[in-house]
Amino acid sequence: MPVVPMKEIVDRAFGERYGVAAINVVNDLTMEAVLAAAVEERSPVIVQTSVKTVRSIGADLLFAMWRGMTAGIEVPVSLHLDHCPDREFISLCLRTGWNSVLFDGSRLPVEENLRLTVDVVAEARAHGAHVEGEIEAITGVEDDIGSDEEAKRQSLPVALDFIRKTGIDVFAPAIGNAHGVYRAEPHLDAQRVSDIVAAQPIPIALHGGTGMTDAQFSDLISRGCAKVNISTALKIVYMKSSLAFLRGAEERDTWDPPSLFTAVRADVKDMAAAHMRRFGAAGRAW
Ligand code: 13P
């Protein structure tokens, strides 16, 4: 099973109440390591790219990497553009071949966000692609996008109206979650997930996955969080693994880049595989 539409992955996970890890990669090494983890775990996976990562590598080159690395892959995988407030950048990624996008209009008045999201959904459909939507900013700055101030949560009727009128495929509500490292255990409004899903069965994206507990994950996944975003955990593993290896290299006075890549890849792959198992997605490939 090669690259599949994002909706196919999240709808199954939503129906069977497991979570698909949606992991932000930052370069070729991390993309390959996350895909290798999915293959090893027989798990579906969503590979995500921030706008910053796409800009740093270039959309065409990043997509060529994706194509090369997923050619002949035997588990369902999908490429997603994470938080993107830039309408033209959304079009660029859809044109290039991304399977789905998160149009982040959360800083706009809901009416304006809704109008633009309707337009994004129409454009995505023309490419056979899917759309995640949000109406409140997720707390925390992720690759230069966002704010540390907690956004005001919209009412249930406003959220439902947005979901229904836009026709989005995945919804990302604020529930007390945050990007980055939690300074204290987050108080999550799990009931909000249940309320939305009861009124409008739609796969929910859980942002700010790094640092949540197993109990929080399993509760939220059982309520309908079918897409579970992990970014900071990868960045930390990548940097710490590199640092540990380089300290050892300095001690040994041995400077061999491929050994560094091998060590970091193994740690990133282990981190990704552990999340796939925690979310109940391991062994779910079709
Ligand atoms: P973390 O950085 O907390 O893992 O959150 C990731 C995320 O939600 C990406 O959109």
Side-chain angles (χ1 to χ4, degrees):
M1 177 59 58
V3 177
V4 298
M6 189 266 263
K7 188 170 166 54
E8 210 174 298
I9 291 183
V10 289
D11 279 0
R12 245 183 220 244
F14 182 69
E16 297 174 27
R17 288 298 193 266
Y18 61 88
V20 173
I23 303 180
N24 290 61
V25 300
V26 295
N27 60 6
D28 53 348
L29 184 149
T30 50
M31 180 184 280
E32 194 279 330
V34 168
L35 291 170
V39 170
E40 200 168 279
E41 295 296 327
R42 303 290 313 152
S43 171
V45 74
I46 295 167
V47 169
Q48 304 197 136
T49 55
S50 68
V51 172
K52 185 177 179 179
T53 295
V54 183
R55 284 197 207 282
S56 78
I57 297 172
D60 285 340
L61 180 55
L62 188 44
F63 193 70
M65 279 159 42
W66 169 254
R67 277 199 114 125
M69 290 183 199
T70 56
I73 196 162
E74 287 171 5
V75 294
V77 297
S78 209
L79 182 64
H80 179 75
L81 176 67
D82 200 17
H83 297 278
C84 181
D86 179 337
R87 188 60 190 82
E88 282 184 20
F89 206 81
I90 293 265
S91 296
L92 168 69
C93 289
L94 288 173
R95 265 200 319 274
T96 307
W98 264 247
N99 299 104
S100 55
V101 293
L102 165 51
F103 173 62
D104 186 344
S106 59
R107 297 272 153 209
L108 302 170
V110 180
E111 277 310 310
E112 174 74 351
N113 182 359
L114 192 149
R115 196 181 60 73
L116 287 168
T117 304
V118 166
D119 186 53
V120 170
V121 170
E123 186 179 341
R125 294 293 181 263
H127 291 279
H130 296 106
V131 179
E132 179 179 335
E134 63 175 301
I135 51 174
E136 304 118 357
I138 309 292
T139 311
V141 180
E142 179 83 45
D143 276 358
D144 306 335
I145 292 175
S147 147
D148 283 328
E149 262 169 55
E150 183 154 0
K152 177 181 147 288
R153 288 178 216 165
Q154 302 288 346
S155 68
L156 182 62
V158 168
L160 296 175
D161 186 61
F162 180 84
I163 294 166
R164 288 172 185 150
K165 287 192 177 146
T166 56
I168 52 170
D169 306 287
V170 176
F171 183 58
I175 55 166
N177 45 344
H179 293 139
V181 175
Y182 291 102
R183 301 292 160 202
E185 193 175 314
H187 295 289
L188 300 174
D189 184 359
Q191 189 55 42
R192 187 160 192 232
V193 174
S194 296
D195 292 346
I196 293 167
V197 168
Q200 181 69 45
I202 181 170
I204 301 293
L206 176 60
H207 283 249
T210 300
M212 287 186 192
T213 64
D214 282 344
Q216 287 171 326
F217 281 132
S218 62
D219 178 42
L220 290 163
I221 289 168
S222 74
R223 292 169 188 263
C225 289
K227 174 176 180 283
V228 186
N229 288 9
I230 298 292
S231 174
T232 303
L234 182 141
K235 291 178 186 171
I236 292 173
V237 166
Y238 184 88
M239 300 297 283
K240 287 194 171 172
S241 176
S242 303
L243 185 62
F245 185 90
L246 289 170
R247 283 194 170 131
E250 187 171 43
E251 260 172 41
R252 296 187 300 275
D253 195 19
T254 304
W255 304 99
D256 177 44
S259 311
L260 165 68
F261 306 150
T262 302
V264 177
R265 174 192 187 266
D267 288 343
V268 172
K269 180 159 80 67
D270 287 352
M271 180 282 302
H275 282 98
M276 292 166 194
R277 292 194 295 271
R278 288 174 85 189
F279 303 161
R284 302 276 193 165
W286 56 91

